[in-house]
Amino acid sequence: MQLGKFKLHIIRECSFRLDGGAMFGVVPKSLWDKVSPADERNRILLYCNLLLIETPAGRVLVETGMGPRWSEKEADRYELKSLVNYDNVLESVGLTNNDVDAVIISHLHFDHAGGATVLKDGKLVPTFPKAKYYAQKGELEFAFQANARARASYRPDDFLPLQEHGVLQLVDGDSEILPGVSVRLTGGHTSHHQVVTFESEGKKGVYFADIIPTKSHLTPPWVMGYDHYPLASCDIKSEYLAKAARENWLVVFDHEPGVPWGHVIQTAEGKFDWQPLTEESLVAV
Ligand SMILES: [Zn+2]
């Protein structure tokens, strides 16, 4: 779709499943099961939706998804189904891995950084050879010192090779990556989680990453059990959603299995309603 001078595409990198209880934290199953039904292993369906932003100054890929480096046992645990060819992640939009100038990773958990590197001739190399990769400095520091609860979500093979190849750019707080495309520190999910905002010719949008993973997480207190700081997630959601509704931002959800982009409306009672774009908006033009 077009947003001002920017051309936007969703790339559905994979589908997978995670425990529904973990995805909805303290929300009772009797409530979340109605909107995100669990399978026989109590898991709910999720996608990794990457966002490609084509700007006059370059192409930005937001997130890299789960990537290809998973054992059979792990793939079964998550019912992981890859939806792209890693030699050419952008095939569906008629581009190649060489066409990406910047990759933004919201945080370094494996379902966001997993596709950042690929194994080539027995060596781990950046998936997008010509891109600089952007992550928060504090997130990388935390990934190396995460305690027992947090550690399982980080795999050094997803980000160490980026450092070794000199392509990892560490950002400290809010920063503009290319004209009109910025990262903003939110905390919440992890202490240095960031969202991506984009703006062209007065039209605005936000990629919420794991602050609002699916449309079922739109209600501010419906935050994930995975969040390190759930109360902060709740507050930052309320703040961003009010702004997004007021200024008619395009809103993108990273793990939504349905149409993952659309708009939010704030009702008279202060609640937020979701208005997705059409299925056709997902087809590359
Ligand atoms: Zn995630």
Side-chain angles (χ1 to χ4, degrees):
M1 73 162 286
Q2 201 78 26
L3 185 112
K5 287 200 169 122
F6 295 175
K7 210 167 163 188
L8 310 180
H9 311 271
I10 295 285
I11 291 145
R12 311 207 88 171
E13 190 261 345
C14 70
S15 68
F16 67 119
R17 286 178 181 271
L18 290 176
D19 183 81
M23 281 302 290
F24 289 100
V26 297
V27 179
K29 184 176 181 183
S30 54
L31 296 182
W32 62 253
D33 198 43
K34 286 184 195 142
V35 288
S36 290
D39 69 5
E40 70 289 349
R41 288 160 78 177
N42 206 48
R43 303 171 306 181
I44 63 164
L45 179 65
L46 301 164
Y47 273 65
C48 282
N49 302 308
L50 321 185
L51 176 67
L52 179 71
I53 310 175
E54 295 193 73
T55 82
R59 293 191 184 91
V60 184
L61 182 66
V62 183
E63 309 284 43
T64 68
M66 291 280 278
R69 293 172 290 100
W70 294 94
S71 69
E72 234 171 79
K73 195 174 153 198
E74 289 166 325
D76 172 65
R77 184 186 309 150
Y78 302 121
E79 204 179 283
L80 176 61
K81 290 176 189 159
S82 179
L83 302 173
V84 296
N85 159 17
Y86 288 93
D87 291 331
N88 191 0
V89 176
L90 305 185
E91 199 169 14
S92 63
V93 296
L95 295 167
T96 73
N97 288 359
N98 284 321
D99 295 321
V100 178
D101 301 291
V103 177
I104 298 174
I105 303 177
S106 64
H107 63 298
L108 295 172
H109 284 169
F110 58 69
D111 56 323
H112 299 259
T117 62
V118 282
L119 204 54
K120 250 193 191 133
D121 305 323
K123 276 190 173 168
L124 284 165
V125 296
T127 308
F128 304 95
K130 297 194 174 154
K132 295 266 183 232
Y133 287 67
Y134 295 84
Q136 286 288 329
K137 182 170 170 273
E139 176 70 13
L140 184 71
E141 285 165 2
F142 181 76
F144 289 119
Q145 48 163 34
N147 77 352
R149 178 184 182 269
R151 202 178 302 141
S153 303
Y154 293 103
R155 303 187 310 172
D157 279 356
D158 296 342
F159 40 87
L160 273 186
L162 302 177
Q163 268 195 316
E164 284 157 17
H165 282 80
V167 296
L168 186 59
Q169 305 280 306
L170 295 173
V171 177
D172 200 359
D174 296 356
S175 178
E176 188 169 60
I177 303 301
L178 281 181
V181 180
S182 300
V183 294
R184 301 192 189 272
L185 192 66
T186 60
H189 184 61
T190 64
S191 58
H192 290 79
H193 178 281
Q194 58 186 358
V195 296
V196 179
T197 58
F198 39 95
E199 176 172 2
S200 176
E201 297 188 318
K203 297 195 171 15
K204 296 180 185 176
V206 59
Y207 184 95
F208 272 115
D210 274 355
I211 291 298
I212 309 183
T214 76
K215 64 172 184 290
S216 307
H217 293 84
L218 201 59
T219 307
W222 285 43
V223 298
M224 291 193 272
Y226 293 114
D227 287 6
H228 296 173
Y229 303 96
L231 304 187
S233 297
C234 178
D235 291 345
I236 202 96
K237 273 163 82 168
S238 307
E239 200 182 295
Y240 267 92
L241 284 172
K243 242 188 271 178
R246 205 167 47 235
E247 298 180 5
N248 197 35
W249 292 8
L250 178 74
V251 163
V252 188
F253 299 140
D254 61 345
H255 294 317
E256 169 59 37
V259 176
W261 54 12
H263 296 90
V264 288
I265 307 284
Q266 191 161 18
T267 65
E269 304 82 53
K271 289 185 175 162
F272 296 103
D273 279 346
W274 173 235
Q275 296 195 320
L277 298 188
T278 60
E279 275 293 334
E280 292 77 64
S281 69
L282 297 175
V283 179
V285 282

